[in-house]
């Protein structure tokens, strides 16, 4: 509909792009959406549907990462305690917990693999159901780029997770 109206008024900026809706680092995107252009609501709905289909996979991946991080922290704690001279028999319960965490890592990895297969199947069904997205036509932008400027904002960090640790184990025997 938008294309037909724009074509009739001779203000059509047609662009052919050989792209599909993809995901980039767990964020669905459509390269045919351009800053300053008019949006087709259907494209946004398609991206929301893809994001919802990928949600279980992202949750399984986060679970696996959290358990793996816990394992690293426990191993580092054990190493620190051993370096402090705590006797090994006092650390047996910590070793048992480490073994349990290792089992949970294996279970989470298997769950993640299963969810990856299910998500791939869901994504294929969704992409087959959605309309063709490789060719895009859009109305010429209503923005006057000569009088517009881009305002930069600080990077949003609410979706980033940092857990950085530096560990150095060496002995200095003199």
């Amino acid at each position: 509909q938008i294309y037909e109206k724009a074509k009739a008024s001779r203000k059509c900026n047609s662009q052919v792009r050989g792209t599909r809706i993809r995901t980039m680092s767990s964020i669905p995107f459509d390269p045919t959406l351009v800053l300053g252009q008019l949006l087709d609501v259907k494209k946004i709905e398609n991206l929301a549907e893809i994001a919802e289909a990928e949600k279980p996979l992202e949750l399984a991946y986060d679970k696996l990462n959290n358990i793996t991080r816990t394992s690293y922290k426990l191993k580092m704690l054990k190493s620190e305690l051993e370096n402090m001279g705590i006797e090994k028999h006092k650390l047996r319960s910590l070793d048992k917990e480490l073994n349990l965490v290792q089992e949970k890592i294996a279970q989470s990895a298997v769950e993640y693999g299963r969810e990856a297969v299910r998500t791939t199947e869901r994504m294929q069904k969704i992409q087959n159901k959605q309309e063709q997205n490789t060719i895009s036509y859009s109305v010429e932008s209503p923005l006057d780029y000569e009088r517009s400027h881009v305002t930069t904002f600080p990077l949003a960090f609410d979706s980033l997770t940092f857990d950085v640790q530096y560990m150095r184990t060496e002995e200095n025997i003199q």
Side-chain angles (χ1 to χ4, degrees), residues 125-152:
K125 288 178 185 175
I126 288 171
Q127 288 177 347
N128 288 338
K129 181 181 77 170
Q130 291 177 353
E131 297 175 5
Q132 184 278 121
N133 291 315
T134 57
I135 300 173
S136 175
Y137 297 98
S138 60
V139 178
E140 187 176 299
S141 175
L143 294 180
D144 182 1
Y145 290 108
E146 295 284 327
R147 296 172 53 191
S148 302
H149 65 344
V150 176
T151 305
T152 58

Side-chain angles (χ1 to χ4, degrees), residues 5 13 35 45-46 51 54 60-61 70 94 109 119 129-130 149 159 164 169 172:
K5 289 178 185 176
N13 176 20
L35 181 66
E45 290 170 354
N46 289 347
E54 289 180 335
Y61 186 70
T70 300
L94 182 60
T119 299
K129 181 181 77 170
Q130 291 177 353
H149 65 344
S159 64
V164 179
T169 57
N172 187 1

Side-chain angles (χ1 to χ4, degrees), residues 26-119:
S26 78
I27 301 172
F29 74 99
D30 182 348
T32 61
L33 297 175
V34 179
L35 181 66
Q37 297 292 87
L38 296 176
L39 297 178
D40 182 7
V41 177
K42 186 66 177 165
K43 288 187 177 191
I44 303 299
E45 290 170 354
N46 289 347
L47 293 175
E49 187 177 12
I50 288 171
E52 192 63 34
E54 289 180 335
K55 186 177 182 179
L57 181 64
E58 294 297 322
L59 292 174
Y61 186 70
D62 287 344
K63 180 181 176 182
L64 178 60
N65 278 339
N66 289 337
I67 294 172
T68 304
R69 243 189 329 252
T70 300
S71 172
Y72 290 142
K73 289 178 181 181
L74 287 175
K75 286 177 184 177
M76 188 169 64
L77 177 64
K78 181 182 176 189
S79 175
E80 289 174 358
L81 293 173
E82 287 173 347
N83 289 337
M84 290 162 60
I86 295 180
E87 299 167 3
K88 293 205 182 238
H89 72 277
K90 292 182 180 178
L91 299 176
R92 286 191 186 133
S93 60
L94 182 60
D95 286 333
K96 289 179 185 175
E97 293 301 319
L98 265 169
N99 289 335
L100 288 174
V101 169
Q102 295 296 327
E103 289 175 18
K104 289 193 180 283
I105 288 173
Q107 291 171 357
S108 295
V110 170
E111 289 174 19
Y112 176 72
R114 288 181 183 146
E115 188 57 46
V117 171
R118 287 192 294 262
T119 299

